[in-house]
Amino acid sequence: MSEAIEPWIEELLQAGLGRDKMTDKQRRIVESAIEVFAEKGYAASSTSEIAQRAGVAEGTIFRHFKTKKELLLSIVTPTMLKMIAPFLLREFRDVLTQDYDSYEQFLRAMIENRLLFLQKNKSLIKIVVQELPFHPELQEQFVQVVLVKVKERLEIVIGKFKAEGQLADLPVMTIIRLSASAIMGYVLTRTLYGTREGADWDDERELEATIGFIMKGLAP
Amino acid sequence: MSEAIEPWIEELLQAGLGRDKMTDKQRRIVESAIEVFAEKGYAASSTSEIAQRAGVAEGTIFRHFKTKKELLLSIVTPTMLKMIAPFLLREFRDVLTQDYDSYEQFLRAMIENRLLFLQKNKSLIKIVVQELPFHPELQEQFVQVVLVKVKERLEIVIGKFKAEGQLADLPVMTIIRLSASAIMGYVLTRTLYGTREGADWDDERELEATIGFIMKGLAP
Amino acid sequence: MSEAIEPWIEELLQAGLGRDKMTDKQRRIVESAIEVFAEKGYAASSTSEIAQRAGVAEGTIFRHFKTKKELLLSIVTPTMLKMIAPFLLREFRDVLTQDYDSYEQFLRAMIENRLLFLQKNKSLIKIVVQELPFHPELQEQFVQVVLVKVKERLEIVIGKFKAEGQLADLPVMTIIRLSASAIMGYVLTRTLYGTREGADWDDERELEATIGFIMKGLAP
Amino acid sequence: MSEAIEPWIEELLQAGLGRDKMTDKQRRIVESAIEVFAEKGYAASSTSEIAQRAGVAEGTIFRHFKTKKELLLSIVTPTMLKMIAPFLLREFRDVLTQDYDSYEQFLRAMIENRLLFLQKNKSLIKIVVQELPFHPELQEQFVQVVLVKVKERLEIVIGKFKAEGQLADLPVMTIIRLSASAIMGYVLTRTLYGTREGADWDDERELEATIGFIMKGLAP
DNA sequence: AATGAATGAGACTTCATTCAT
DNA sequence: CATGAATGAAGTCTCATTCAT
């Protein structure tokens, strides 16, 4: 737990999360690109439309991003890092292992944190999820950056709860999978279905049901 | 629930599932299209590559399908029907309501049946899932054809098990969601992760863990 | 002398010289390309202008030639072959070794033959000469196809005249170089300078002077 | 013949030959431009690459040269002057008419002088030769500045040798052409072919052969 | 029914040039 | 003087679709 974060991740986090160094136009280009990519998908998006929405000349895009693909990467790579930021930052990491007495507490914290993130980054997540299957480099990155890191951290936390006898005697990966499935099912349904007009979605109730389900399902 | 299936669905099932009426070339076109769409995504696929792989002239595609979009629909619509075929076919429907004594039995049957389907139709499912977000007509179709129908049928079955006191007192939709999440998590992990070389995936164990998880989580 | 011509050369000669298999539009494209390339140089020529002059849509060019470069090659490669055709064709080859009693006769024949060729293919030659320095593949081709073949044949003929004591005792390559320089100087001056209005170019006299110069310069 | 050199030529000679007045950046731009133009040809060269190689900003080029074309001219015009400098400079001019007893001596001096020049200015010459055909203003300049001047001077010298009975009774222009052809053939072969690895080019022998050829060919 | 040449709109990208800093 | 971000015209090339054969 005490080993330092790899410097390149630290760096990317800085560079990616804050768009500080970007010029105004650059930021507008990226924002338009996020819009358009999320709406139509990368392949069906045209740089001319992105330029138009950003209010810049098409050539300007290519001054900042050598290719359309690079523009995509400039969006996806930081997003993948943001997705796992809580697992990487030192302060949070310590929190992970210490602050939660019960698995339930931990679950609630995770859901709240990531749900907030997801709500604020719907388009970004959509782009990542949509494009992942078609770009092997992204997949590589995803496995290396997201899966491995997250798994690493979660194994520690969940291992602890399991050792304390709070959880059933299942492989840690299985516990992660089952918990994650239920949470994602909740989040996805909520996102897709819960926002429809006239939908009878009682968020509080569903959240409780989901957590209850996980806790019962994983009880020793 | 004893009303007849809508005739147009019946028709589509016939037309879509059996590619009987297709000429040889037509079938080859559709098969190539499935390949290419699954590989590159609809927008990034070119009709000329599809024609090439199908061994037909470029123009031939447009003799059978007015537009590229229509070719996509000719793949997606039947697939969506195939996805819910078990819920629609009369014989199966009766089975649903009668054959299973326990929810666990029912779950096992569903998993086995749909897993088989998924394994035989990976590319098709991939296309549907990938394209759904970008084509409102498809979404419409999906909701109308898949969600509504499945929900309708499942509510009966699950309502029965719930009435029998086998399941916790949760809204039927919630039960469906939680069960489906866990199953899909299992299937997805198995598909993406279980086939990697050197992966330590014990299918039997994971399946049992998943079913156990659901049953415990949903126990009254 | 009696060994067969390499089949690939034979083939290229057929394909390149006769534009038989070309469709009408293809021929028009190539002809326009020759015009434009010769006028402006390859790099400064635009496919859109070529298309316009050919009276076809721009896309049509790329149906017949994958890239602009391929269009260039489709012009240059056959031209290089045409440049040395006399040295390759069997009938001519035999002629080379037998028909000429004196080096002077041989020179006159060569000049006449190649001058005719040059007059009919000014643009083509111009393109080859202009582009050669910028395309390594063309240089490779030029050395392999033109230099080597021509040298091979000329060495035989000139070796014979030298053996007969008609020529000075110089390396055959030197004789070739000196003769070629004088001829090319004649041809070039004639082409560039001789066609100007008011130029005092007496072609007959200059030709005689050139041949006289070579013969005297190379006399034993 | 004793009339002064046209002042504008004098001026250009000063300005072009010495790059004295240029700032450091300006000189670096011109040098990079020479490199790139020689490598890729004018039309295929980009000002951005030139700027990069020169280590200056893109805009800087256009502070010193209004257009890309002007940059080309700033290279080509002085080069054309340098090509004929020996014929223009007063001191050299006198030398021309007095110092050489034989045409052979004169030839040797010219070859040595111009060969040295060519070796030190390969890229420049390449650019001039390559671009001449595509820029009518350059052609104009070339005829006016190079051809006319050189012809003027050479006619005097060669006229003298001819009057002395050293040379055959041919038009002076013909003598020039024949001599120049042989020399250029020598220089070109030497440049292109003589530097290849494994080439059996004996420079001394070829030079002698060439001079011998010219002298014999032009003997009275 | 099948072909494949032809199209022209539009895709991504490059580039010479301008201008505020 | 120098910079480099910005531009928009133009470049090469792709693609869905049409149509005469």
Side-chain angles (χ1 to χ4, degrees), chain C residues 63-116:
Chain C
R63 171 156 293 277
H64 293 290
F65 306 91
K66 267 201 292 294
T67 61
K68 188 186 168 194
K69 183 85 170 254
E70 199 182 291
L71 177 55
L72 175 66
L73 293 185
S74 87
I75 291 167
V76 169
T77 305
T79 299
M80 294 201 320
L81 286 171
K82 280 163 101 178
M83 286 168 64
I84 56 158
F87 301 92
L88 294 179
L89 296 175
R90 190 182 312 277
E91 72 241 44
F92 207 100
R93 245 190 310 164
D94 298 338
V95 165
L96 272 188
T97 42
Q98 294 163 9
D99 269 18
Y100 305 108
D101 293 339
S102 69
Y103 187 58
E104 187 174 335
Q105 255 184 49
F106 171 71
L107 272 185
R108 286 184 188 278
M110 289 298 297
I111 290 172
E112 186 183 16
N113 177 294
R114 293 294 78 193
L115 201 55
L116 202 68

Side-chain angles (χ1 to χ4, degrees), chain D residues 35-91:
Chain D
E35 254 182 64
V36 181
F37 286 165
E39 249 171 58
K40 320 194 158 176
Y42 170 75
S45 301
S46 82
T47 51
S48 97
E49 180 172 0
I50 293 168
Q52 220 173 327
R53 288 209 205 178
V56 303
E58 289 195 55
T60 307
I61 291 182
F62 293 90
R63 191 148 293 281
H64 294 288
F65 306 91
K66 261 204 300 295
T67 63
K68 186 185 169 194
K69 184 83 171 255
E70 196 181 293
L71 177 54
L72 175 66
L73 293 184
S74 88
I75 290 167
V76 168
T77 305
T79 299
M80 294 199 321
L81 285 170
K82 280 165 100 176
M83 286 167 66
I84 55 157
F87 303 92
L88 294 179
L89 296 175
R90 187 181 314 274
E91 72 239 45

